[in-house]
Each structure stands twice: as C-alpha cells, then as structure tokens.
Amino acid sequence: MKARIGLEIHVQLSEAGTKLFCNCDSEYRRYRPNENVCPVCLGLPGALPVPGKRPVELALAAALALNCEPPRALVFTRKHYFYPDLPKNYQITQFEKVGGSPVCTGGYLDYLSPDDWEWRRVRIRRINLEEDPGRTSYEGSILSSRYAYVDYNRSGVPLLEIVTEPDLKSPRDARVMVEYLLLTLEYLGATNPRLEGVFRVDANVSLEGGERVEIKNIGSTLDVERALRYEINRQRLVLERGGKVERETRHWDAERGVTKPLRYKEEEEEYLYFPDPDLPPVLITRDLLEAAREKVAEWSPRRVYEEILGLGVKREVAWSITSVPAAARTYLAGVKSGGDPGILARIVGVDLKGELREQGRDPYNPGNWPEPGKLAELSRLVAKGEYTYDAVKGLVLPKLAANPEAPLEELLPEKVEDLEPLVEEVLKEEEKAVKDYLGGKKKALNYLVGAVMRKARKRALDPRRARELLLKRLEAMKTGA
Amino acid sequence: MHRTPGIADLLYAYANGDMDPVEHAARVLEEIRRWEPKVNAFISLEDPELVLEAAEDAGKRWKRGEARPLEGILVGVKDNISTSFLPTTAASRMLDPYVPPYNATVVDRLLERGAIIHGKLNLDEFAMGSTGEFSAFGPTRNPWSLDRVPGGSSSGSGACLAYAGCDGALGSDTGGSVRLPAAYTATVGLKPTYGLVSRRGLIPYGNSLEQISPMARSVRDVALLLEAIAGWDPGDATSLRTEAPSLSGLKPAEPGEVRVCVPRGLPELAEEPVRKAFYSLLERLESEGASVGEVEMRGVERALPAYYTIALAEAASNLARYDGTLYPMRGESGEYWRYIAQARGRGFGFEVKKRILMGVYVLSEGYRDEYYVAATRLRRLVRDEVLRATRGCILATPASPVMPPRLGERIGDPLKLYAMDAYTVIANLAGVPALVQPAGFHEGLPIGVQFMAGRLGEPQLIRLGLLVEELTGLAEVVAG
C-alpha cells in the first residue's frame, strides 16, 4: 500500500542572535526561567515588535535555499488562540490570505538519500516566519500539579514553519528529508539542529483508500521514522480488516512508541487572522536579496558534497564530511592549503571524526577540529611516504582529537631510521615463525612484520620496508641453508 | 471664565525670573486639591512633595542657565501611557495597579526635556469611549459645567487643562479622543500625522489609527509639546523616519494665504449651535481675506462604520492578552478556560466587553470579508479622498456634531454615542494631522472647530490655528 506523507517542520532560528521582534537572545537554553525576557517578548501592553535584521535575513536565505520565489515584502499576521504560554494570546506569524505575505509560497528541496545516493525532490508549499511561544511546565503531571509554571525565555524566538507537499514516500524517506533540510539550514548559519527542542515535526500521512491523519509532537529525526512507521502499520491494519481510516489528529508518544488519538474533538479552527498593525510590511530590497543569494550560493550541502566528490573522494566519505559543517570547512580549507584530497578525506571524514566521537568531543563544534593547515601537512607527510596512514591514524589522530591545539612536531612519532637491528632481533626471537616460513608457510611473514612493528613501540616505521628487509634476510637464510 | 498662563508664558516668565517653578507648581497643586473632588480628572497623582522638589530642581536649572526646553512645566499624562514611576491602568480594573517596567518613549522625552509629570489622567477604559464615562475609576466631569462630560476618551486630559490642574497634557487619539475633549473643554488638541509620534508604551486600542497627541490651552503650547515628543523611534516600527518638525517658532498664517475648504454636506450633521459657531468662524476668516470654499469628498459619510470596524477588530486582538496570567486581575478556578473567563469577566467593563465581541465578530471566518476586509477597502478610499482634498486646502469641519452632552445622556445608545466621532475619525482613517481648537461658546459651553491638513502638514495647522486664535481670542481660557 502506497503512503503519501507531508510534513510541517518548525525550526528555531537558534543562531539568529536575537529573538524575532526584540533583542533578547535567540538561544534561551542557558538562562534561568524568565531571565531572557523584555516587555516586547512578554507582550506587555504598549511594547511594540520591531523585526530583527538577522532573523529576517536568515528566513529569506532559507526561502532561497528552498528554491522559493521571494515575495516583494514580508507581511506579519496575528493568529489568535488562548494558551497559557502565549503571552499576547496571539502569535505573530504569516498567512497567505487577508493581505498576508509569507516568506515563501512555493519552492522545492532536492535532498540526498544516503541509502541509494539518489537525489530526490520534495515540493515546499509554504514557509512562515513566526515567533515561538513560551513554555509551560508542571510539577509531576498536568493533573496533579498545583501550578502551571510559565517560562517566557523561549517566547519570541524566531521560528520557521516549513510545510511540504505530500511528496514523501516512506518513513525513512521522510526522515532523510528532514535531516537534509536541517543540514541545509545549519549551513546557512540559521540553526543548530542538535539543541534540545530546536525543531518539531508534525506529519500528515494517508494510505490509498484512507483519510489523512495528522501526527503531532515529533521531536527527533529518528522519531519521524518511528512515528510514521507505527502510524502506517496502524492504518494498514485498519484497512486490511475492512475498517475506515478517519480524518483525525493523533499525538506521538515517543516513550511508548505509539500514536494516540487526541482526546478533544476537532473543532472548526477560528484564528481571527489579520495583518499585525504594529508591523508595516518588511520590504525585500535588492540589497537584502543579494546578500541572501550570496549566502546560499557560497555554502550549501549540495555544493560542498559535489565539490568533494569532484576531488575523487568516495561518496560515503564525501557525505560523512559534508554532513558535519565543521568537518566540511576543515576539509575544504585543508585541500586549499595543499593537503592531499584523498588522505585528508580519510582523516577528516572517517578517522579523526570517529576519534572525536570516541572521546566524547563534539565533531560539530569547530573548536574541536585542528587547524586545517595542520591536517593538510599531515596528509602530505603520508602522501610522501614519510609516515604510514596507519601510523598517523593510530598514533597522531587520538592525540589531535584530545588536543587540537597540539603542535604537529610533538605529535609525530619518532621514526625508526635503522630497521635492520629490529629485524635481526625479531629473526632471533621468533624462531618458530622463521622455521614455519622457511618450511613454506608464507603467512608467517605477516606475523614477523607485525612483530617488528610491535618492537618499534610508539615509534613509526614503514611496514613495507620492514617486509622487504625481512624477505631479503629470509631468502638469504634459505639459500644459505 | 478667566485666563491663566500657558506653557509658553511660563517658560518666558521662568527665563526672566518673573516666576518661580515652585510657586507655580504649588498653585497647580492647589487647583487640583480644589477641583479634583468634583472633576475626577486624575487616576493617580504624584506625591506633592516630589512634585515640589522637582520644581525646585527646575528653578535651580533656570537660575544656572541650564534649563531644558520644558523645564518646570507640569504635564499630566493619560493613564494608558506607560510610566514606570506611577501605575498605568488604562482606567481598567484589569490593570489596577499595574506598574510597567518601562516608560513610554514620549514619557522619556518629556522627562529629558525637563517636564514634570505630576499625575496620570482619567480616560474611558482602554480609551474606548467618547465621553469619559466608561472609566473604572468613575466618570470625569467637565469643569465648564459639572453635569456635562468633558469628552473622551482623553477626558482627564481636557478636564485638567480646563481647571488649570496641568500646563499641558498628553492624550491619545484613536478616533477623536483628544479632539472631542478639546472641543468640550475649550482647549486645543492636535492629533499628529500617523507615525510622527512614537506609540511605544501606549496601551493599544486601535494600533493602525491612533497617535499619542498633545493637548494644551493654546495652539502655541500644543506646538511646544508636539515638538518635544515627535520624531523617529527605533522602538516603533510604524514611526516615521523624519526629524521632529520645528513648530514652536511658527508665526500665524497671513489670512491671504489661507485656503480652507469644507467637505460638502458634513457640517449639516451638526446641531444648530455648533453649525452656527462653525460658519460664523469661517465667515470671520473669509472677511479677513482667507479663501473659504467647498469640496466634494466621496466615502466620508461612511467613515464612521469603517472606523469602528477596524478599531474594534484591532481592539479585540490587543485585549486578548489580559487573561489573568501576567496582570493584576486574576481568576480563581483551577480550570484554564473558566479561570480566564473569571479574570476577563471581572476585569473588563461592559463597553469593553461589547467592543471585544464586535471585534471578534468582524474578524471571524465567514464575516471577515464582509466587515473587516470591506472596511479596510473603504478606509483606503477615504484616505485617498482626504489626501487629494488636502493637497489644495485645509479641510475644516466642526469638531463634534453635538454640544458637550450631560452625563448619562449618550452612553445608553451606542449609535448616538459613536456618531459623536463622525468628524474626527476621518483623520485617523487617513493618517493625517488634525487640530481642534475653540471656535466659540454657546450658553457657557465650549464649541470646537477642526482643521485637517495633508500628511506632515502640522506646520500649516499650527499657523492657521495661531491665526484663528487671534480672531477668536480664545486661548489660555479656563473654567471658573
């Protein structure tokens, strides 16, 4: 049974610096409750919203990155509903009717599926730039709590509401799209997708022969896949038993891994939309547009991925680099300063990234990456044969991950300049292996190479040279015997 | 009736050492003590000791030659304009006693220029009314006749000027809210061009229509106040990026250069004494050499419903925030919807509730096009007509179709109440400046005239107003 999936994705512009209409911080998580507030985001009477420059620029850049035709002006609209953490009891958002003009009314996103390395396309129906409400919390459960605690630190944080057409084919497809979309926004410097609660997804899904069901409250990309998989199975079972899938809104319970019907009846929605009279249309000037276009053109996942592929890097590794913007910046800067593209790709995309993860250091944090020139130098040393990749991987990268500031000279292992004494020692100590080799067991040679390397301890040596030396001596022993 | 010095006179007297700000402040406080029990112009008053101290500081500054433009002038501020040092209630139980954590931009500007804010003035609750009777703190009475209303919604602003309880006042004008009080109290009110004065800190009623507006007892004084508060404010996205206009040095217009026109048919909506005073003033102007004509204006007769539709839609939205969470009036139920209903049920007066319901109605799905959207279309028509007409002349109308009503006379019938704004709402719909000043008296009651100019035509209005003042001799008059 074919599924049709459309998503509504809310993403905070957490990196905007300011809230949408005041100068409070867009990253509210570091504050104690109700510390990141002012008269504007508290909605105090007489306080007036003034559109922030950065949030508007980022929203426009996002719209262009999603291939939208930019509007001539942004119009903000009031959407009314009573909710304890919505301080004005209306949200300033956008609306395509009643004189409204959202930041995007039609675009598309081409996203890469790392499952089959195909580019797929999802159409974007609309993007609204709007303010996030505050948060309500309870002691224990909502029913037992004596109070509702309202924290307005989040109130007014700029939020993009991105609505797709129902073009997505499977739960996995939906997840992959969301991940790519978030990466695109991260590349714009608009959001940090790893912050708690920075995005929320509502999903619409219908099967052939059934009505559309909306699932609310999905908080991670993994849960996009899980929730949709659960819901599609649920609907399939209903249809297979000859039942009817009713149009309804369900709630994703991540803990129990199920979607549940919302208890309230769906009512006719009445939001009393009208353009906010405190906010004149924000004209999209040529300068604004040019700045946004440049931002989108110079730095996007697709551009970076294709550039890395063009350097002859395997797509898995290229994608591994692309998917972490700090890695991508490091890699491309490293190549630019003369690094070996292939070796540098392995360092950045595979082993140093893995080592950072291993050591619990966030690879998304640019501060955790060594200076690109340093990695470029490392890749050149390997390319020239000064060190083996394995020596760099085993001896240098762990230290570099622990301390990206460490100077390369201190990290590079001492090289064993004179291999012969080591080889002699091994031949003396490993009598059995030598005998095996001379007796025709070719595999014993590998063991002997390993033994030489163990002898070198933390110093670097070239295993090919060790092998050559060993072979020469063993052949001599053969003929000598 | 007698005369009392206005702002310009006081500044002159302070500068020459003919009067001391303390002496003056004491006199004003004495008027307040005498009149307030009867008039109820103020909702809250600053501690008299603090007022006298501020006046003393002002006196020192004058002596040291460090006086600022409004040094030692006592300005009352309508209680829907935020002050961090006095409660700001908008005359609603909902906000009693809310003390904002910030000052409105205009308040900061007054204080920076040396004005002393000695109290917060009564108004119709959330500025919704034309008589001053819808205040949770009781109605304000008209000092010229205590059984009459002083006009609204800036009722306290007009009344305190009329009994010399303040030298100047700030009101707000959404559909005539400083101009009706000016007409009914023989004072002057100027609603500026939309965006000329920052609204930051003004508790909103109809955001797209209203402006904080100066009131005083003379045209010159209103110019001084407007000059002090006008100018671009980065904290208000609707404020115009213009320099504050230079107004206080303007000279009266020469009659020969004045062109006044009357929208055809409009004065005929007014009661006889109003009409008579209006036409006799125009005749006077004409006899001095001004050109007086008529102008055809489409749509203005429907300005009133367009105005109320838009104002109430915006009001319903603005007032949604008062839900018992952040403001003084609370509910008690543990159930969210009931809690809100309790807070709103107790906090809002009847007129406010009525206007919220009408505002919600005109924005509702299925009715929005018929009402709200249609009203915005009509508004554009009116605006275009006004802008066209004011290119060639200054529009003149009566300020109010009726004489100051008796208390209780108008508020029973909403249509009669709203009809009081028929002349004033036009300028709010069009965003143009409008000046109301005394035209004459009838049986001891003041009658006002209104002039409207094109956008940023304040200098023209001031110059015409100064000329009219010369002709009528009606400046700086107070009751009693």
Side-chain angles (χ1 to χ4, degrees):
Chain A
M1 247 178 277
K2 274 218 280 201
R4 275 159 61 88
I5 300 167
L7 301 178
E8 193 177 303
I9 305 139
H10 286 91
V11 192
Q12 290 171 352
L13 300 177
S14 63
E15 309 306 291
T18 68
K19 290 184 177 179
L20 184 49
F21 298 117
C22 63
N23 284 325
C24 292
D25 199 338
S26 58
E27 219 305 72
Y28 55 89
R29 293 162 186 83
R30 56 190 115 170
Y31 297 89
R32 294 197 318 214
N34 294 313
E35 268 191 350
N36 184 37
V37 295
C38 73
V40 174
C41 55
L42 284 176
L44 294 187
L48 293 173
V50 178
K53 195 162 170 279
R54 279 274 293 163
V56 167
E57 283 171 0
L58 290 175
L60 188 60
L64 294 179
L66 271 56
N67 301 289
C68 303
E69 187 64 37
R72 278 190 302 178
L74 302 186
V75 173
F76 291 101
T77 299
R78 293 185 181 181
K79 175 182 182 179
H80 301 79
Y81 58 95
F82 279 83
Y83 206 77
D85 51 28
L86 191 65
K88 303 184 289 293
N89 287 319
Y90 62 80
Q91 180 192 30
I92 305 178
T93 177
Q94 301 193 300
F95 190 50
E96 62 277 19
K97 288 182 266 182
V98 206
S101 174
V103 67
C104 165
T105 47
Y108 63 88
L109 176 66
D110 289 332
Y111 58 100
L112 182 67
S113 159
D115 298 335
D116 56 11
W117 305 105
E118 295 280 327
W119 288 93
R120 301 178 189 161
R121 177 167 293 189
V122 61
R123 287 171 301 155
I124 305 294
R125 181 180 296 171
R126 180 171 49 73
I127 305 175
N128 286 342
L129 174 60
E130 60 187 25
E131 45 176 12
D132 214 352
R135 262 137 79 96
T136 312
S137 55
Y138 303 92
E139 289 166 337
S141 88
I142 185 168
L143 293 173
S144 65
S145 182
R146 260 166 28 101
Y147 299 103
Y149 295 96
V150 187
D151 175 7
Y152 295 101
N153 282 349
R154 191 177 74 181
S155 171
V157 165
L159 198 62
L160 290 183
E161 183 193 76
I162 302 168
V163 183
T164 78
E165 297 290 347
D167 292 346
L168 302 161
K169 305 283 188 291
S170 69
R172 174 78 189 159
D173 189 28
R175 174 185 179 175
V176 163
M177 193 284 284
V178 174
E179 284 172 346
Y180 191 91
L181 171 68
L182 292 171
L183 186 65
T184 301
L185 296 177
E186 187 177 10
Y187 264 70
L188 294 175
T191 195
N192 176 354
R194 288 162 303 284
L195 294 173
E196 180 267 325
V198 77
F199 70 93
R200 310 182 288 273
V201 180
D202 300 337
N204 283 300
V205 56
S206 62
L207 297 185
E208 267 171 271
E211 285 283 339
R212 177 165 62 88
V213 173
E214 186 178 8
I215 316 166
K216 286 197 174 284
N217 186 42
I218 306 174
S220 73
T221 56
L222 173 65
D223 277 356
V224 169
E225 193 175 345
R226 285 174 70 209
L228 281 166
R229 187 163 290 147
Y230 176 90
E231 180 58 24
I232 287 171
N233 281 331
R234 189 191 68 82
Q235 291 184 21
R236 194 188 355 244
L237 285 175
V238 171
L239 292 173
E240 279 172 2
R241 285 184 196 136
K244 264 167 89 178
V245 175
E246 303 281 354
R247 191 171 179 135
E248 64 169 334
T249 302
R250 298 173 72 87
H251 186 86
W252 169 242
D253 181 338
E255 223 143 276
R256 293 170 49 201
V258 296
T259 65
K260 294 187 293 196
L262 282 179
R263 256 167 300 172
Y264 65 76
K265 265 202 189 150
E266 276 207 77
E267 289 170 36
E268 187 88 358
E269 288 176 341
E270 179 62 90
Y271 290 123
L272 309 179
Y273 287 110
F274 78 105
D276 193 321
D278 288 333
L279 290 160
V282 178
L283 294 182
I284 304 301
T285 59
R286 189 186 296 226
D287 286 354
L288 257 177
L289 209 53
E290 274 317 302
R293 283 219 172 94
E294 260 169 50
K295 195 190 250 311
V296 174
E298 71 173 22
W299 189 239
S300 72
R302 180 157 196 168
R303 230 215 64 183
V304 166
Y305 173 69
E306 283 172 352
E307 186 175 341
I308 300 175
L309 280 186
L311 292 165
V313 177
K314 279 198 302 185
R315 54 199 182 187
E316 287 82 357
V317 178
W319 182 244
S320 167
I321 296 171
T322 307
S323 63
V324 178
R329 281 189 196 279
T330 304
Y331 175 75
L332 290 178
V335 170
K336 215 172 184 184
S337 59
D340 180 278
I343 295 165
L344 195 57
R346 269 185 84 184
I347 294 177
V348 173
V350 183
D351 293 307
L352 183 52
K353 184 176 162 188
E355 195 61 53
L356 285 168
R357 284 236 161 85
E358 193 103 323
Q359 296 186 21
R361 295 172 71 88
D362 180 8
Y364 290 92
N365 179 352
N368 285 338
W369 286 88
E371 202 258 309
K374 199 185 285 180
L375 296 181
E377 173 64 18
L378 206 52
S379 74
R380 277 200 301 274
L381 290 173
V382 174
K384 279 193 286 182
E386 302 262 338
Y387 296 92
T388 62
Y389 186 83
D390 286 341
V392 165
K393 175 186 167 183
L395 301 173
V396 181
L397 297 188
K399 288 184 206 157
L400 215 43
N403 177 17
E405 306 291 334
L408 212 48
E409 309 81 69
E410 286 173 21
L411 298 180
L412 286 172
E414 195 190 323
K415 279 208 286 192
V416 180
E417 294 298 346
D418 193 2
L419 265 179
E420 272 167 48
L422 285 184
V423 169
E424 289 309 321
E425 260 180 68
V426 165
L427 289 174
K428 213 176 283 168
E429 285 166 15
E430 304 287 348
E431 281 173 38
K432 183 173 177 299
V434 172
K435 211 178 276 170
D436 284 350
Y437 181 83
L438 295 176
K441 271 195 178 173
K442 296 284 178 211
K443 268 194 179 160
L445 180 60
N446 288 338
Y447 174 78
L448 290 168
V449 173
V452 173
M453 299 198 57
R454 276 195 297 280
K455 271 234 156 342
R457 297 254 167 80
K458 292 265 166 185
R459 291 173 300 166
L461 57 69
D462 185 343
R464 275 172 305 178
R465 272 237 320 133
R467 194 184 165 91
E468 275 166 31
L469 273 175
L470 275 169
L471 259 177
K472 211 157 92 190
R473 288 283 290 114
L474 287 168
E475 288 307 312
M477 286 163 90
K478 225 188 235 172
T479 44
Chain B
M1 187 197 302
H2 65 281
R3 286 175 204 273
T4 195
I7 297 171
D9 305 316
L10 287 168
L11 292 173
Y12 187 77
Y14 292 161
N16 290 324
D18 295 342
M19 203 193 289
D20 178 60
V22 176
E23 186 192 328
H24 172 63
R27 193 180 305 156
V28 170
L29 291 176
E30 173 55 21
E31 295 291 356
I32 292 173
R33 198 191 57 77
R34 208 157 60 86
W35 282 89
E36 262 313 276
K38 294 176 280 186
V39 173
N40 195 29
F42 286 89
I43 289 178
S44 51
L45 279 163
E46 187 58 278
D47 181 349
E49 217 169 292
L50 290 180
V51 175
L52 293 171
E53 265 173 39
E56 210 178 310
D57 287 345
K60 285 181 194 152
R61 278 177 173 268
W62 277 107
K63 286 208 181 78
R64 288 201 301 264
E66 292 167 4
R68 296 162 291 178
L70 295 174
E71 196 72 58
I73 299 300
L74 272 68
V75 179
V77 171
K78 190 177 181 180
D79 208 26
N80 61 350
I81 298 172
S82 300
T83 47
S84 62
F85 48 90
L86 283 172
T88 301
T89 66
S92 179
R93 273 194 298 274
M94 188 61 94
L95 286 175
D96 181 22
Y98 162 67
V99 183
Y102 72 110
N103 280 335
T105 298
V106 292
V107 167
D108 279 334
R109 289 195 176 168
L110 285 179
L111 295 175
E112 283 160 16
R113 284 161 179 73
I116 299 167
I117 293 173
H118 65 306
K120 298 297 291 292
L121 295 161
N122 209 351
L123 66 151
D124 288 292
E125 184 176 0
F126 286 106
M128 296 179 182
S130 307
T131 65
E133 290 165 284
F134 297 128
S135 167
F137 298 89
T140 304
R141 287 168 185 269
N142 192 332
W144 292 97
S145 170
L146 290 172
D147 61 345
R148 307 237 169 204
V149 301
S153 67
S154 308
S155 49
S157 307
C160 86
L161 286 164
Y163 75 71
C166 52
D167 305 325
L170 293 189
S172 65
D173 190 312
T174 312
S177 278
V178 303
R179 287 166 288 155
L180 285 186
Y184 295 166
T185 61
T187 57
V188 181
L190 199 173
K191 188 214 71 94
T193 303
Y194 187 79
L196 184 62
V197 176
S198 166
R199 290 185 297 114
R200 184 176 155 274
L202 170 65
I203 297 183
Y205 163 25
N207 322 41
S208 73
L209 300 156
E210 64 206 6
Q211 279 284 285
I212 292 175
S213 308
M215 291 185 75
R217 285 184 297 265
S218 73
V219 172
R220 170 88 59 222
D221 288 1
V222 154
L224 276 163
L225 283 178
L226 180 56
E227 207 173 70
I229 61 173
W232 181 58
D233 176 9
D236 175 358
T238 63
S239 100
L240 297 172
R241 280 186 182 255
T242 54
E243 297 270 316
S246 179
L247 301 170
S248 53
L250 293 174
K251 299 269 180 298
E254 293 297 329
E257 61 179 357
V258 169
R259 282 175 53 87
V260 167
C261 40
V262 179
R264 182 165 298 139
L266 269 194
E268 280 56 55
L269 303 174
E271 290 178 356
E272 158 105 27
V274 175
R275 228 165 41 226
K276 262 174 85 177
F278 176 69
Y279 282 121
S280 92
L281 175 65
L282 291 188
E283 275 161 29
R284 188 71 209 281
L285 269 171
E286 204 166 19
S287 71
E288 294 288 325
S291 128
V292 176
E294 265 196 328
V295 61
E296 192 70 51
M297 288 175 72
R298 291 187 309 139
V300 288
E301 72 288 350
R302 282 179 296 164
L304 204 57
Y307 164 80
Y308 270 98
T309 303
I310 291 166
L312 301 193
E314 293 178 6
S317 169
N318 293 327
L319 296 182
R321 76 195 64 197
Y322 305 110
D323 60 3
T325 308
L326 284 175
Y327 305 101
M329 180 58 76
R330 305 276 159 155
E332 61 219 7
S333 169
E335 204 259 305
Y336 177 60
W337 293 104
R338 191 171 297 274
Y339 178 92
I340 296 180
Q342 283 167 342
R344 290 170 73 81
R346 291 170 194 165
F348 291 139
F350 180 72
E351 180 66 18
V352 171
K353 287 176 191 164
K354 196 165 70 186
R355 293 193 189 202
I356 290 173
L357 285 179
M358 290 192 282
V360 168
Y361 180 79
V362 300
L363 282 176
S364 298
E365 213 65 60
Y367 296 96
R368 185 168 48 212
D369 288 347
E370 201 178 329
Y371 293 99
Y372 176 75
V373 175
T376 58
R377 230 177 278 129
L378 192 50
R379 176 186 193 168
R380 279 196 292 276
L381 176 75
V382 170
R383 180 197 61 195
D384 292 345
E385 285 290 283
V386 170
L387 293 181
R388 183 184 55 77
T390 50
R391 269 198 284 275
C393 60
I394 289 180
L395 293 174
T397 71
S400 161
V402 297
M403 299 296 293
R406 290 195 164 75
L407 266 81
E409 185 184 322
R410 284 264 159 182
I411 50 173
D413 180 347
L415 289 181
K416 263 168 98 180
L417 180 71
Y418 300 167
M420 291 167 67
D421 305 335
Y423 297 130
T424 46
V425 297
I426 296 168
N428 302 86
L429 286 172
V432 300
L435 175 76
V436 164
Q437 66 186 112
F441 278 79
H442 174 73
E443 293 174 353
L445 294 173
I447 295 170
V449 60
Q450 169 175 250
F451 299 110
M452 283 179 267
R455 283 197 185 136
L456 297 174
E458 280 82 357
Q460 276 173 281
L461 289 182
I462 300 285
R463 295 192 62 218
L464 174 58
L466 291 169
L467 171 65
V468 169
E469 235 168 43
E470 282 180 357
L471 301 183
T472 60
L474 290 174
E476 303 181 353
V477 294
V478 292

